[in-house]
Amino acid sequence: MANWRPQPSEQEIDSRAVLEELRGPAEKENQTQQTQQTQQSSEHEVESKAAIEELMSAAEKETEKLPGGLTEAQEEALYNEGAIPRPGFTQEEMEAEPFLALLDQAGIAPPPDGFEDVEVETAPRPTPVATHKFPLPQLPLPPHSHLKQRYHPVLDQLTNLMMRDGKKSLAQRNMAMVLNFLRTSPPPIINPKYPLLPNAPPPAHLPLNPVLYLTLAVDSVAPLVQIRRIAGGAGGGRPLELPQPLRVRQRRRAAFQWILDVVNKKPSKGSGRTQFAHRLSEEIIAVVEGRSPVWEKRLALHKLGTASRANLTAKPVKGGK
């Protein structure tokens, strides 16, 4: 019972026979088409092989006519490049005289007869001279030839004067804000009563160069002299006042100290870390425009220096008597 299968009926057998009869002609047609295609492809392959063989035989015949298988133009081009010797230079000549062959290959004329007997005098080689990539500095060195001098000398000095408690980065930030304020400020209005240094640029050019702006303000208001007092030199316990000239750094230090004193006495208009820089830049603009009280200090000091010139020839009293 396990291997029992139902047997096909007579109708199923008849339908299968009809299908096989219908499939027969279609399969025969497919087979005939495939055979025709294979025959055509084989014929094309035979024709292509024959054409290739003909081309190869023709190329061999043409190359046999030329020595070396190169045309005249190719030989000339290779000879000019130095890849082959000149045409007509046989292999025997190359083996017999390889030196001449190399000269000819390089395009150099052969040496004359008796060239080997000539003695050539070689000149002595010059001794090597020590050269430098950059020129050596001229001695003696200038006084300000520092290796790490990065900033303008005026900015460096004024930044150190602004520094408090060793916080130089804070002073540098304030100086940067001062320069930025001067750069963005309108051109100053010069007061003829308080003239600036001679040969100063026009006021419209000052905001374009804030370092020059700051330097011009400090140098214009800087005093030329200082009063040196000798205790008891005038007699009767009175000091003897003598004018003394100042160097450039001393003058700038005195002028900037006056400006800082005025700035510290001014009230702040707000709060924040930019207030000191704004007050300082406003005072510098006031100095250039002649509105700062620093000019009065300078005039008073110069008047005192002019009056005390008479004491230069006086001899100080010893012992203060």
Side-chain angles (χ1 to χ4, degrees):
M1 294 296 290
N3 297 328
W4 180 85
R5 292 181 180 178
Q7 295 181 357
S9 61
E10 294 179 358
Q11 294 179 357
E12 292 178 356
I13 293 170
D14 295 337
S15 61
R16 289 178 182 176
V18 172
L19 290 173
E20 289 178 357
E21 290 177 358
L22 293 174
R23 288 177 182 174
E27 291 179 356
K28 290 179 181 179
E29 290 179 0
N30 292 333
Q31 290 178 359
T32 54
Q33 290 178 0
Q34 290 178 0
T35 53
Q36 290 176 0
Q37 290 178 358
T38 52
Q39 289 176 359
Q40 291 177 0
S41 61
S42 60
E43 290 177 358
H44 286 300
E45 289 178 358
V46 171
E47 291 178 358
S48 61
K49 288 180 180 179
I52 292 170
E53 290 177 357
E54 290 178 0
L55 292 174
M56 291 178 66
S57 61
E60 289 177 357
K61 290 178 181 179
E62 291 181 358
T63 53
E64 287 176 357
K65 297 178 182 179
L66 298 174
L70 299 174
T71 61
E72 295 180 358
Q74 291 175 348
E75 286 184 354
E76 186 177 358
L78 293 175
Y79 172 69
N80 293 333
E81 293 177 359
I84 61 173
R86 74 168 184 270
F89 203 79
T90 60
Q91 186 70 20
E92 296 177 356
E93 294 177 353
M94 292 177 64
E95 293 177 356
E97 299 180 357
F99 178 69
L100 297 178
L102 292 174
L103 291 179
D104 185 78
Q105 184 176 356
I108 303 173
D113 297 337
F115 178 74
E116 298 178 356
D117 300 336
V118 178
E119 295 182 359
V120 180
E121 296 181 359
T122 58
R125 293 184 178 180
T127 57
V129 181
T131 58
H132 303 277
K133 187 175 182 180
F134 300 100
L136 294 176
Q138 297 180 358
L139 298 177
L141 296 176
H144 300 292
S145 61
H146 298 292
L147 179 63
K148 297 181 180 180
Q149 188 173 2
R150 299 173 56 189
Y151 305 107
H152 194 273
V154 176
L155 295 182
D156 198 7
Q157 182 182 5
L158 301 186
T159 303
N160 291 335
L161 291 175
M162 283 195 301
M163 182 173 57
R164 294 292 180 270
D165 301 329
K167 298 178 182 179
K168 191 168 184 179
S169 60
L170 179 60
Q172 289 176 343
R173 185 184 65 187
N174 290 332
M175 180 58 69
M177 286 190 286
V178 168
L179 296 177
N180 189 29
F181 192 90
L182 295 177
R183 182 178 59 83
T184 56
S185 62
I189 301 173
I190 306 299
N191 188 359
K193 184 180 178 181
Y194 301 102
L196 302 176
L197 290 177
N199 299 327
H205 293 183
L206 293 179
L208 302 177
N209 192 349
V211 178
L212 177 62
Y213 200 161
L214 179 61
T215 306
L216 182 63
V218 174
D219 288 347
S220 297
V221 80
L224 299 176
V225 294
Q226 70 175 357
I227 304 301
R228 184 167 63 93
R229 293 176 174 83
I230 301 176
R238 294 175 301 171
L240 181 63
E241 297 178 347
L242 299 175
Q244 184 178 0
L246 298 176
R247 294 189 293 271
V248 176
R249 288 182 61 87
Q250 292 175 335
R251 294 179 58 212
R252 289 172 177 169
R253 175 185 173 85
F256 198 68
Q257 288 290 352
W258 290 348
I259 294 173
L260 289 179
D261 293 340
V262 176
V263 169
N264 292 329
K265 292 178 182 178
K266 281 186 175 182
S268 180
K269 297 180 181 179
S271 61
R273 60 183 183 180
T274 62
Q275 293 303 313
F276 176 76
H278 285 180
R279 284 185 283 134
L280 180 58
S281 55
E282 288 175 357
E283 186 63 25
I284 291 171
I285 295 173
V287 168
V288 175
E289 293 181 348
R291 298 182 287 104
S292 177
V294 179
W295 286 102
E296 302 298 334
K297 287 186 178 182
R298 182 176 185 270
L299 291 176
L301 181 59
H302 284 181
K303 285 182 180 180
L304 183 59
T306 304
S308 61
R309 285 187 302 175
N311 298 333
L312 293 175
T313 58
K315 295 181 180 180
V317 179
K318 295 182 180 180
K321 296 181 181 179

